[in-house]
Amino acid sequence: QEYLVESGGGSVQAGGSLRLSCASSGYTYSEYCMSWFRQVPVKEREGVAAYDSDGEINYADSVKGRFTISQDSAKKTLYLHIDNLKPEDTAMYYCASQCQFRMTATQSLGVSYNYWGQGTQVTVSS
């Protein structure tokens, strides 16, 4: 069965930290082309952190220095550690896997993935 399941979201105060997890089935997991996105209502989904087709990591400029993407291949799990949370980080966070084409670091923050999770909500209060 193919799946991506996010967890770890919640309501936190500004300045706090969270670690989001994305559990994958064997088919949807890879050490390459896995990423984290976020979306708020009426806005487009935004790529925040990704492994590209070569396994290189890329971050959106808005989150550099606060977001860290990592993975545990034995557990087939992708992580997103978020430090110094800000109210503008409030969003639904999604993981995605399996690039639709070979992606560079910049392209890895685009939405061309075949598999998506259902999302986990992060709410940051000031």
Side-chain angles (χ1 to χ4, degrees):
Q1 186 177 359
E2 305 160 358
Y3 64 83
L4 292 171
V5 179
E6 302 93 337
S7 62
S11 296
V12 297
Q13 289 192 325
S17 298
L18 280 175
R19 188 180 78 162
L20 308 183
S21 299
C22 173
S24 310
S25 64
Y27 187 77
T28 58
Y29 177 78
S30 173
E31 294 180 354
Y32 311 97
C33 282
M34 293 199 73
S35 62
W36 286 97
F37 289 76
R38 65 185 180 186
Q39 189 171 23
V40 297
V42 305
K43 287 192 175 181
E44 291 186 355
R45 196 164 292 191
E46 172 193 22
V48 295
Y51 288 92
D52 70 9
S53 296
D54 293 317
E56 297 294 320
I57 291 174
N58 192 36
Y59 296 101
D61 289 341
S62 59
V63 306
K64 283 180 180 176
R66 298 191 299 116
F67 285 32
T68 304
I69 189 172
S70 62
Q71 58 185 300
D72 185 329
S73 58
K75 295 181 179 179
K76 294 183 174 59
T77 299
L78 185 72
Y79 300 102
L80 184 68
H81 190 94
I82 309 174
D83 288 319
N84 190 22
L85 278 155
K86 302 178 180 182
E88 52 264 41
D89 294 323
T90 295
M92 186 71 79
Y93 283 74
Y94 300 90
C95 65
S97 72
Q98 198 176 97
C99 302
Q100 293 179 354
F101 54 89
R102 180 173 175 78
M103 290 186 180
T104 63
T106 300
Q107 292 170 327
S108 65
L109 295 180
V111 295
S112 298
Y113 291 85
N114 288 325
Y115 296 101
W116 294 85
Q118 82 290 350
T120 186
Q121 178 68 37
V122 172
T123 302
V124 185
S125 58
S126 57

